[in-house]
Amino acid sequence: MRAVLILPLVLCLISLAEAASRRDSRTLTQAAYVLRHALPITATKLKVLTADRALLTSGDDGVVIVTRINHCSYSIMSNRVGGYRINFSRLNGTFEREGAAESARIVLPGNSDAACSLPLDGPDQCASTVRLKSVSPQQEATLLAGVTYLLDQGGRASAAPVDRP
């Protein structure tokens, strides 16, 4: 009798754990995509190792490691260009777009330590603004979808564009 009651409970818990793992993998994948655009990284092949760590390869960068620091903060490290950390809970819910229609730079405003560059030598340099490198219109839509998703996961409002004159 107990086995009949316990088996559905165990299956339900396994199902919930698998759903959480898929969600965490998606969040890490979105963070890797956003972080890759914050640094001059050419690696494009993403391999999710765990819910908290992924590798980017297939570029001139060697191995690039993406790490979840907590539920809304992620870092990316490369032995060629140093690293970068973004705390999505410290970003505001809006972004600005700089540039022409064919190539734009996305600017994400936030609090004083929303983004920190992690140089190979020297102290961390933190700032209140994240400037993502220029992207094509096709990449921009994907990038902004990733930013919106991560802001939502961090408990902030969805990203909404602010056009600069």
Side-chain angles (χ1 to χ4, degrees):
M1 181 71 174
R2 285 185 180 171
V4 172
L5 294 174
I6 293 176
L7 184 60
L9 179 60
V10 169
L11 292 175
C12 180
L13 291 175
I14 290 172
S15 177
L16 289 173
E18 288 174 352
S21 177
R22 281 191 303 273
R23 185 183 67 244
D24 289 345
S25 293
R26 177 178 178 212
T27 305
L28 185 64
T29 300
Q30 296 291 342
Y33 187 76
V34 172
L35 288 164
R36 186 174 73 86
H37 283 83
L39 284 176
I41 289 177
T42 59
T44 55
K45 185 176 180 183
L46 180 71
K47 180 178 182 181
V48 176
L49 302 175
T50 68
D52 297 324
R53 185 166 286 226
L55 297 179
L56 276 164
T57 57
S58 297
D60 299 331
D61 309 304
V63 175
V64 179
I65 301 171
V66 180
T67 307
R68 179 194 320 263
I69 297 167
N70 59 40
H71 76 283
C72 54
S73 184
Y74 300 84
S75 71
I76 187 167
M77 294 295 293
S78 166
N79 58 4
R80 186 177 67 83
V81 294
Y84 204 72
R85 180 175 65 238
I86 298 178
N87 185 341
F88 289 91
S89 70
R90 293 192 169 275
L91 294 175
N92 295 327
T94 59
F95 62 85
E96 297 174 354
R97 185 177 187 276
E98 294 178 343
E102 60 276 356
S103 181
R105 178 185 291 235
I106 308 302
V107 181
L108 303 166
N111 295 339
S112 61
D113 59 349
C116 296
S117 68
L118 313 169
L120 292 173
D121 54 356
D124 294 1
Q125 299 172 358
C126 296
S128 61
T129 302
V130 181
R131 280 188 167 79
L132 303 176
K133 66 184 179 185
S134 294
V135 294
S136 69
Q138 296 83 10
Q139 291 174 313
E140 182 181 357
T142 305
L143 183 60
L144 293 178
V147 169
T148 301
Y149 180 80
L150 290 163
L151 288 171
D152 286 343
Q153 296 301 307
R156 307 302 267 182
S158 296
V162 175
D163 289 324
R164 295 182 74 178

